Amino acid sequence: QSSLDATSAFAQRCLAANSGDSLPRLGLAHQAWRDDQLEEVRQQLTPVLKQHPQLVEAQALWCRLLVELDDFGGFVAANSSLPPEAETHSEIWLSRGIWAEKKGQLAAAVRCLGESIRLDPNSRSAHYRLSQVLTALGKPEQARPFAERAQKLTQLTLEIGQLPRKATAEQYRPIIEQLEQLGREREASAWCQRIALETGSQPDWATAIQERLAPQLDGHRLRTSGDGDLSRLIPLEDYP
């Protein structure tokens, strides 16, 4: 059973135990989104938003859905009623960027997608979309690093998904190396620790990575280091 199947089963059990709480439906909505079942996303999210209108995570997925369905009127209405904390949610800015791109407002799309990346330097969709918009604006050189990071993030996700239940240290190694290259040093170090916990020992290369990363992690709380945040390559203040 996959972790996604387990999450869905857990949400179903929560609903069965307390049908009056719609919150578990948010998990089912995310599962439906991953499965490209857009009508199911709508059905699961509607009661969540009715009961929890200030829940930004639900509002973010709702905005993604409206843009995907080309319901621009609904998207504008949803954006006008977002709680203030939505301004710090990467997926909200991603939806705005996709909406602006679809409306042909490419400069606005750059600003929104750049903000999305600033808030989440590991958003595959935002990096890919921004590379496409910059290319459309005649800026292929500026687009290249965003396209490359999107590809690397996609490859990382695929490799993690292909790991066996009981992986060897050598199977973990390319993932750890990719995490470090992506500026995700804290995660790379944590995966090294995972090897020790699961196998009872740690190969020399994993110990060397942990020792090399330790000074960088001291007092550093961000998930992704500054080098991994490509939004710094775009002068966002120059875009509306």
Side-chain angles (χ1 to χ4, degrees), residues 22-168:
S22 64
L23 198 55
R25 294 186 182 278
L26 179 57
L28 296 176
H30 277 292
Q31 178 67 65
W33 176 262
R34 287 186 287 264
D35 293 339
D36 200 28
Q37 298 175 352
L38 301 186
E39 185 53 38
E40 180 68 12
V41 176
R42 183 190 294 274
Q43 292 180 12
Q44 295 294 348
L45 271 184
T46 298
V48 178
L49 291 170
K50 184 176 181 180
Q51 189 174 26
H52 304 280
Q54 299 301 305
L55 185 61
V56 177
E57 189 68 26
Q59 292 283 2
L61 184 55
W62 183 250
C63 287
R64 288 294 306 275
L65 175 66
L66 294 173
V67 172
E68 185 68 21
L69 294 173
D70 291 336
D71 184 355
F72 297 136
F75 175 76
V76 171
N79 259 265
S80 67
S81 60
L82 289 173
E85 54 268 29
E87 297 302 309
T88 60
H89 198 292
S90 173
E91 289 281 308
I92 294 292
W93 285 99
L94 173 59
S95 295
R96 290 169 176 169
I98 297 173
W99 177 84
E101 180 187 4
K102 287 187 173 186
K103 299 290 284 185
Q105 301 174 10
L106 299 187
V110 171
R111 174 61 181 267
C112 294
L113 295 169
E115 291 289 355
S116 179
I117 290 171
R118 183 180 64 80
L119 292 165
D120 180 8
N122 300 304
S123 170
R124 289 175 290 161
S125 295
H127 282 84
Y128 174 75
R129 290 277 186 172
L130 183 52
S131 73
Q132 296 296 296
V133 172
L134 289 170
T135 298
L137 286 170
K139 301 179 179 181
E141 291 300 318
Q142 203 169 23
R144 184 170 292 112
F146 295 95
E148 290 175 349
R149 187 171 178 86
Q151 184 177 22
K152 290 176 181 178
L153 289 168
T154 299
Q155 182 63 30
L156 175 65
T157 300
L158 289 173
E159 292 195 18
I160 291 175
Q162 292 169 357
L163 277 176
R165 186 177 295 274
K166 291 186 177 181
T168 66

Side-chain angles (χ1 to χ4, degrees), residues 189-210:
S189 179
W191 279 73
C192 290
Q193 293 174 10
R194 179 174 177 171
I195 293 174
L197 290 172
E198 291 188 355
T199 67
S201 62
Q202 192 176 66
D204 291 343
W205 61 263
T207 301
I209 288 175
Q210 274 199 291

